[in-house]
Amino acid sequence: MEKMKAIVCTKYGTPEVLRLKEVEKPSPKNNEVCIKIHATAVTASDTFIRGFKIPLRFRIPMRIMMGLTKPRKPIIGLVLAGEIESTGKDIKRFRTGDQVYGLTGFGLGAYAEYKCMKETDSNYGCLSLKPANLSYEEATVAAYGGLLAFQSMEMGNIQPGQNVLIYGASGTTGTIAIQYARYLGAKVTGACSTSNLELVKSLGADTVIDYTRVHTTEPGVQYDFILDAVGKSKTSKLKDACKKALAPGGKYISIDDAALLLDSKRLARIKELAEAGYLKPFIDRSYQMDEIAEAHRYVETGHKKGGVVIKVN
Ligand SMILES: NC(=O)c1ccc[n+]([C@@H]2O[C@H](COP(=O)([O-])OP(=O)(O)OC[C@H]3O[C@@H](n4cnc5c(N)ncnc54)[C@H](OP(=O)(O)O)[C@@H]3O)[C@@H](O)[C@H]2O)c1
């Protein structure tokens, strides 16, 4: 039996419950590809799963679904970028050697050297060819932040010249959202804290607002589209003020309003824009597999800039 390295979540708890182990290497079914993973990411979602930080009202159903004392799928991880190592006989979209990126959804399993998954979209993942000009590490940021940002912003039908505000512009989703709004021709405002103002400007924001110091939006300025890119649990006086600065007919969307859609067509669109030079993922920190606990501790602070990645192979 072939073996591989994987990070196993031994029980719900602090980052120390994550252990690097040797486990059985999976082999693809007829309708699956086997991906040799080069990079994965530590997302806010991974820390929720590991720590079982689930709102009270969902705890019982989620424990039944995810596992009572530890995740039923012990290898967690939602995001991957790697190379197709082998394919089942029914695979049509991919060939051995293709460089791919995507999300694993309920299938988890991205914290490993290999992952088998279907080539078709479902709650168990979505996969596309990786942007050729991005590293595997950058591709993980593009996949997670890109899917979240594009999904929300497509609902806004943003037109050139419109005023767009990205609240929480420095996170994984926010850093991609700023660049996408810029690509759409919007006048872009990013809200972030003091230490991230320069980063957000460098990504294309015309105006930046420091949510730690400024508590109101500029008098007279109204926004056609506002994206809350950090979610409902993170707030400030400025965020409350933003909601009141919506133009008539404008749209306010929180990243938490809808479930994340695992959509390979959207991944292909992100690839196109990255290859055309409109999207450049920002990597905050990069860790090795055996530093996973440290990576989780960092992401849990809630202040990562762009993405935090794990180099796998
Ligand atoms: N809909 C879904 O299915 C789905 C799936 C996954 C995730 N999500 C949501 O997406 C959220 C964002 O995930 P992410 O990984 O992109 O974010 P993230 O990278 O974890 O966000 C970190 C960023 O948030 C900023 N931040 C922290 N507190 C803030 C505040 N009070 N106001 C403004 N910015 C603040 C930090 O900047 P500073 O250091 O400058 O404060 C940091 O750059 C998650 O928290 C979750 O709510 C939704």
Side-chain angles (χ1 to χ4, degrees):
M1 203 67 76
E2 271 196 89
K3 297 277 183 192
M4 68 168 182
K5 279 193 284 181
I7 293 156
V8 172
C9 183
T10 52
K11 58 181 174 181
Y12 297 124
T14 60
E16 289 66 36
V17 302
L18 298 171
R19 300 278 162 76
L20 185 58
K21 291 192 174 185
E22 287 245 304
V23 301
E24 200 177 307
K25 179 186 167 191
S27 48
K29 299 189 181 112
N30 290 344
N31 62 351
E32 287 182 338
V33 294
C34 181
I35 301 155
K36 181 177 165 71
I37 298 174
H38 288 292
T40 181
V42 179
T43 67
S45 311
D46 297 341
T47 65
F48 294 152
I49 293 171
R50 187 219 72 230
F52 200 76
K53 284 182 271 171
I54 309 285
L56 204 58
R57 64 184 188 284
F58 297 128
R59 285 209 184 142
I60 293 175
M62 287 302 278
R63 279 210 189 241
I64 292 166
M65 203 173 91
M66 282 171 51
L68 287 180
T69 57
K70 58 184 178 185
R72 199 166 287 121
K73 290 186 184 295
I75 304 169
I76 61 169
L78 286 170
V79 192
L80 56 76
E83 200 178 324
I84 304 283
E85 195 226 21
S86 58
T87 58
K89 71 175 178 52
D90 299 334
I91 291 300
K92 297 193 172 58
R93 286 179 59 214
F94 299 106
R95 286 185 307 196
T96 301
D98 280 349
Q99 297 187 352
V100 293
Y101 78 138
L103 263 61
T104 57
F106 291 149
L108 305 179
Y111 284 5
E113 288 185 302
Y114 295 90
K115 165 77 183 167
C116 291
M117 60 191 277
K118 290 183 183 164
E119 63 175 350
T120 48
D121 296 357
S122 73
N123 286 339
Y124 287 81
C126 62
L127 211 53
S128 158
L129 291 176
K130 172 179 91 59
N133 58 335
L134 299 188
S135 67
Y136 288 110
E137 288 83 3
E138 288 170 326
T140 65
V141 184
Y144 181 79
L147 283 177
L148 276 166
F150 277 47
Q151 167 181 334
S152 307
M153 293 173 76
E154 283 167 18
M155 289 187 241
N157 188 26
I158 296 164
Q159 300 299 312
Q162 285 191 326
N163 267 339
V164 168
L165 184 139
I166 309 297
Y167 181 84
S170 52
T172 313
T173 311
T175 50
I176 300 282
I178 289 281
Q179 297 178 71
Y180 187 40
R182 177 76 187 212
Y183 161 76
L184 293 171
K187 282 184 266 170
V188 190
T189 300
C192 59
S193 71
T194 320
S195 64
N196 292 325
L197 293 172
E198 285 311 313
L199 166 68
V200 172
K201 262 193 228 165
S202 75
L203 296 173
D206 302 289
T207 309
V208 283
I209 312 178
D210 182 345
Y211 76 85
T212 64
R213 292 168 190 227
V214 178
H215 301 152
T216 55
T217 56
E218 212 179 304
V221 177
Q222 291 191 310
Y223 298 97
D224 302 289
F225 180 79
I226 298 176
L227 173 66
D228 164 15
V230 289
K232 294 181 176 169
S233 62
K234 294 174 184 168
T235 194
S236 66
K237 285 185 182 152
L238 177 68
K239 184 158 154 178
D240 295 336
C242 288
K243 292 177 189 166
K244 294 178 191 142
L246 205 57
K251 224 174 203 172
Y252 180 100
I253 290 193
S254 163
I255 206 80
D256 288 332
D257 281 345
L260 173 60
L261 292 174
L262 303 179
D263 183 346
S264 58
K265 288 203 178 76
R266 197 166 274 134
L267 280 177
R269 177 95 183 107
I270 295 164
K271 166 179 153 64
E272 264 174 38
L273 293 196
E275 288 177 349
Y278 293 109
L279 298 177
K280 183 74 179 158
F282 183 83
I283 295 177
D284 183 352
R285 294 188 183 183
S286 183
Y287 293 89
Q288 301 296 325
M289 284 178 98
D290 60 1
E291 298 172 312
I292 189 72
E294 205 180 319
H296 266 241
R297 270 193 293 275
Y298 180 59
V299 170
E300 228 155 23
T301 63
H303 293 286
K304 71 171 139 75
K305 310 173 205 304
V308 168
V309 303
I310 305 289
K311 288 186 179 188
V312 177
N313 272 300

